[in-house]
Coordinates of all heavy atoms in Angstrom, one line a residue:
Chain A
D740 N 135.0 121.1 93.9 CA 135.1 120.2 95.1 C 133.7 119.8 95.6 O 132.9 120.7 95.8 CB 135.9 121.0 96.2 CG 136.2 120.0 97.3 OD1 137.3 119.4 97.2 OD2 135.4 119.9 98.3
P741 N 133.5 118.6 95.9 CA 132.2 118.1 96.3 C 131.7 118.7 97.6 O 130.5 118.8 97.9 CB 132.3 116.6 96.4 CG 133.8 116.3 96.5 CD 134.5 117.4 95.8
E742 N 132.6 119.2 98.5 CA 132.2 119.7 99.8 C 132.4 121.2 99.9 O 132.0 121.8 100.9 CB 132.9 119.0 100.9 CG 132.5 117.5 100.9 CD 133.4 116.7 101.9 OE1 134.1 117.3 102.8 OE2 133.5 115.5 101.7
G743 N 133.1 121.8 99.0 CA 133.3 123.3 99.1 C 132.1 124.1 98.7 O 131.2 123.6 98.0
P744 N 132.0 125.3 99.2 CA 130.8 126.1 98.9 C 130.8 126.5 97.4 O 131.8 127.1 96.9 CB 131.1 127.4 99.8 CG 132.5 127.4 100.1 CD 133.0 126.0 100.1
F745 N 129.8 126.0 96.7 CA 129.7 126.1 95.3 C 130.9 125.5 94.6 O 131.3 125.8 93.5 CB 129.6 127.6 94.8 CG 128.3 128.2 95.3 CD1 128.3 129.0 96.4 CD2 127.1 127.9 94.7 CE1 127.1 129.6 96.9 CE2 125.9 128.4 95.2 CZ 125.9 129.3 96.3
G746 N 131.6 124.5 95.3 CA 132.7 123.8 94.7 C 134.1 124.5 95.0 O 135.1 124.0 94.6
A747 N 134.1 125.6 95.8 CA 135.3 126.3 96.0 C 136.2 125.7 97.0 O 135.8 125.0 98.0 CB 135.0 127.7 96.4
K748 N 137.5 125.9 96.8 CA 138.5 125.5 97.9 C 139.7 126.5 97.8 O 139.6 127.6 97.3 CB 139.0 124.1 97.7 CG 139.6 123.8 96.3 CD 139.9 122.3 96.1 CE 140.5 122.0 94.8 NZ 140.8 120.6 94.5
E749 N 140.8 126.1 98.4 CA 141.9 127.0 98.7 C 142.5 127.6 97.5 O 142.7 127.0 96.4 CB 143.0 126.1 99.3 CG 144.2 126.7 100.0 CD 145.3 127.2 99.0 OE1 145.4 126.8 97.9 OE2 146.0 128.0 99.5
V750 N 143.0 128.9 97.6 CA 143.7 129.5 96.6 C 144.9 130.4 97.1 O 145.7 130.9 96.4 CB 142.8 130.4 95.6 CG1 142.3 131.6 96.3 CG2 143.5 130.7 94.4
G751 N 144.9 130.6 98.4 CA 145.8 131.6 98.9 C 147.3 131.2 99.1 O 148.2 132.1 99.2
E752 N 147.6 129.9 99.1 CA 148.9 129.5 99.4 C 149.5 128.4 98.5 O 150.7 128.3 98.3 CB 149.0 128.9 100.9 CG 148.4 129.8 101.9 CD 148.5 129.3 103.3 OE1 149.7 129.1 103.8 OE2 147.5 129.1 104.0
G753 N 148.6 127.6 97.9 CA 149.0 126.4 97.2 C 149.9 126.7 96.0 O 150.6 125.8 95.5
S754 N 149.9 127.9 95.5 CA 150.7 128.2 94.3 C 152.1 128.7 94.6 O 152.9 129.0 93.7 CB 150.0 129.3 93.4 OG 149.2 128.6 92.5
L755 N 152.4 128.8 95.9 CA 153.7 129.4 96.2 C 154.9 128.4 95.9 O 155.9 128.8 95.4 CB 153.8 129.8 97.7 CG 154.9 130.8 98.0 CD1 154.5 131.7 99.2 CD2 156.2 130.1 98.4
A756 N 154.8 127.2 96.4 CA 155.9 126.3 96.4 C 156.4 125.9 95.0 O 157.6 125.7 94.7 CB 155.6 125.0 97.1
A757 N 155.5 125.8 94.0 CA 155.8 125.3 92.7 C 156.9 126.1 92.0 O 157.7 125.6 91.2 CB 154.6 125.2 91.8
I758 N 156.9 127.4 92.2 CA 157.8 128.2 91.4 C 159.3 128.0 91.8 O 160.2 128.1 91.0 CB 157.4 129.7 91.6 CG1 158.2 130.6 90.6 CG2 157.7 130.2 93.0 CD1 157.8 130.4 89.2
L759 N 159.5 127.5 93.0 CA 160.9 127.3 93.4 C 161.6 126.2 92.6 O 162.6 126.4 91.9 CB 161.0 127.0 94.9 CG 161.0 128.1 95.9 CD1 159.6 128.8 95.9 CD2 161.4 127.7 97.3
P760 N 161.0 125.0 92.5 CA 161.5 123.9 91.7 C 161.5 124.3 90.2 O 162.3 123.9 89.4 CB 160.7 122.7 92.0 CG 159.5 123.2 92.7 CD 159.9 124.4 93.4
A761 N 160.4 125.0 89.8 CA 160.3 125.4 88.4 C 161.5 126.2 88.0 O 162.1 126.0 86.9 CB 159.0 126.1 88.1
I762 N 161.9 127.2 88.8 CA 163.0 128.0 88.5 C 164.3 127.2 88.6 O 165.2 127.3 87.7 CB 163.1 129.2 89.4 CG1 161.9 130.2 89.0 CG2 164.4 130.0 89.2 CD1 161.8 131.4 90.0
A763 N 164.5 126.4 89.6 CA 165.7 125.6 89.8 C 165.9 124.7 88.6 O 167.0 124.6 88.1 CB 165.6 124.8 91.1
S764 N 164.8 124.1 88.2 CA 164.9 123.2 87.0 C 165.1 123.9 85.7 O 165.9 123.4 84.9 CB 163.5 122.4 87.0 OG 163.5 121.5 85.9
A765 N 164.6 125.1 85.6 CA 164.8 125.9 84.4 C 166.3 126.3 84.3 O 166.9 126.4 83.2 CB 163.9 127.1 84.4
V766 N 166.9 126.6 85.5 CA 168.3 127.0 85.5 C 169.2 125.8 85.0 O 170.1 125.9 84.3 CB 168.7 127.5 86.9 CG1 170.3 127.6 87.0 CG2 168.1 128.8 87.2
Y767 N 168.8 124.6 85.5 CA 169.5 123.4 85.1 C 169.3 123.2 83.5 O 170.3 122.9 82.8 CB 168.9 122.2 85.8 CG 169.5 120.9 85.3 CD1 170.8 120.5 85.6 CD2 168.7 120.0 84.6 CE1 171.4 119.4 85.1 CE2 169.3 118.8 84.1 CZ 170.6 118.5 84.4 OH 171.1 117.3 83.9
D768 N 168.1 123.4 83.1 CA 167.9 123.2 81.6 C 168.7 124.3 80.8 O 169.2 124.0 79.7 CB 166.4 123.4 81.3 CG 166.0 123.0 79.9 OD1 166.6 122.0 79.4 OD2 165.2 123.7 79.3
A769 N 168.9 125.4 81.4 CA 169.6 126.5 80.7 C 171.1 126.3 80.7 O 171.8 126.4 79.7 CB 169.3 127.9 81.4
V770 N 171.7 125.9 81.9 CA 173.2 125.9 82.0 C 173.7 124.6 82.6 O 174.9 124.5 82.8 CB 173.8 127.1 82.7 CG1 173.5 128.4 81.9 CG2 173.2 127.2 84.1
G771 N 172.8 123.7 82.9 CA 173.3 122.4 83.4 C 173.8 122.3 84.8 O 174.5 121.3 85.1
V772 N 173.4 123.2 85.7 CA 173.8 123.1 87.1 C 172.6 123.1 88.0 O 171.6 123.9 87.7 CB 174.8 124.1 87.6 CG1 176.2 123.9 86.8 CG2 174.3 125.5 87.4
W773 N 172.6 122.3 89.0 CA 171.5 122.4 90.0 C 172.0 123.2 91.2 O 173.1 123.0 91.7 CB 171.2 121.0 90.5 CG 170.5 120.1 89.5 CD1 171.0 119.1 88.8 CD2 169.1 120.2 89.2 NE1 170.0 118.5 88.0 CE2 168.8 119.2 88.2 CE3 168.0 121.1 89.5 CZ2 167.6 119.0 87.6 CZ3 166.8 120.9 88.9 CH2 166.6 119.9 88.0
I774 N 171.2 124.2 91.6 CA 171.5 125.0 92.8 C 170.5 124.6 93.8 O 169.3 124.9 93.7 CB 171.4 126.5 92.5 CG1 172.1 126.9 91.2 CG2 171.9 127.3 93.7 CD1 173.6 126.8 91.3
N775 N 170.9 123.8 94.8 CA 170.0 123.3 95.9 C 170.0 124.2 97.1 O 169.3 124.0 98.1 CB 170.5 121.9 96.3 CG 170.3 120.9 95.3 OD1 169.7 121.2 94.2 ND2 170.7 119.7 95.5
D776 N 170.9 125.2 97.1 CA 171.0 126.1 98.2 C 170.3 127.4 97.8 O 170.9 128.1 96.9 CB 172.5 126.3 98.6 CG 172.8 127.3 99.7 OD1 171.9 128.2 99.9 OD2 173.8 127.2 100.3

Side-chain angles (χ1 to χ4, degrees):
Chain A
D740 190 86
E742 295 170 20
F745 298 100
K748 57 184 181 181
E749 188 285 338
V750 71
E752 307 186 61
S754 272
L755 197 151
I758 190 68
L759 280 69
I762 290 174
S764 179
V766 169
Y767 174 71
D768 191 38
V770 294
V772 294
W773 288 106
I774 312 291
N775 291 354
D776 176 337

